[in-house]
Amino acid sequence: NSKLRHVEKDVLIPQIMRDRAKELCSDKVQAFTKCCQETGFLMVVKCRQENTALKDCLVGYYSDPSFYEECKAEYLKQREEYRATGIKKKRQKFTPNV
């Protein structure tokens, strides 16, 4: 049964999308974090470029229908395994095939 409940569509699948997008944009996450650590209170002004690059990367994934379908398939697989075993698996880190 692949019918999705409201909480699955609006909360659980978007959570997988956020986690995977952060992993796929990890270079931009690291650049923004490093900039913030180095500039302290002035980060709002000084890290604007890094923040924009990070947002653009994340939004690119969030708005990609094929990425949503990929994450939905991952969620359905996890849900199927949980229903079969009763054991919730910890989500593994996604590593792109590079």
Side-chain angles (χ1 to χ4, degrees):
N1 181 8
S2 61
K3 189 159 170 78
L4 294 171
R5 295 175 296 147
H6 167 72
V7 71
E8 292 172 317
K9 279 193 276 193
D10 296 344
V11 178
L12 300 174
I13 294 172
Q15 181 60 53
I16 290 173
M17 291 177 74
R18 279 190 298 275
D19 291 347
R20 286 199 50 206
K22 278 185 201 167
E23 291 165 10
L24 293 166
C25 298
S26 65
D27 56 334
K28 291 164 184 65
V29 170
Q30 289 172 358
F32 179 66
T33 302
K34 184 176 182 221
C35 181
C36 290
Q37 289 170 341
E38 290 173 356
T39 56
F41 290 115
L42 297 175
M43 70 180 141
V44 174
V45 176
K46 297 219 176 197
C47 301
R48 195 171 288 149
Q49 188 175 348
E50 290 82 354
N51 188 30
T52 300
L54 174 56
K55 273 199 254 183
D56 289 347
C57 183
L58 295 173
V59 169
Y61 284 108
Y62 298 157
S63 59
D64 180 352
S66 63
F67 185 67
Y68 174 84
E69 290 302 321
E70 218 176 286
C71 293
K72 177 179 157 185
E74 181 181 331
Y75 171 76
L76 289 172
K77 184 178 172 215
Q78 290 173 3
R79 184 177 79 172
E80 187 179 323
E81 287 173 8
Y82 174 73
R83 287 179 176 175
T85 64
I87 300 167
K88 187 171 183 175
K89 281 195 171 184
K90 190 171 183 180
R91 203 174 87 69
Q92 295 179 342
K93 274 203 148 203
F94 172 76
T95 49
N97 299 329
V98 180

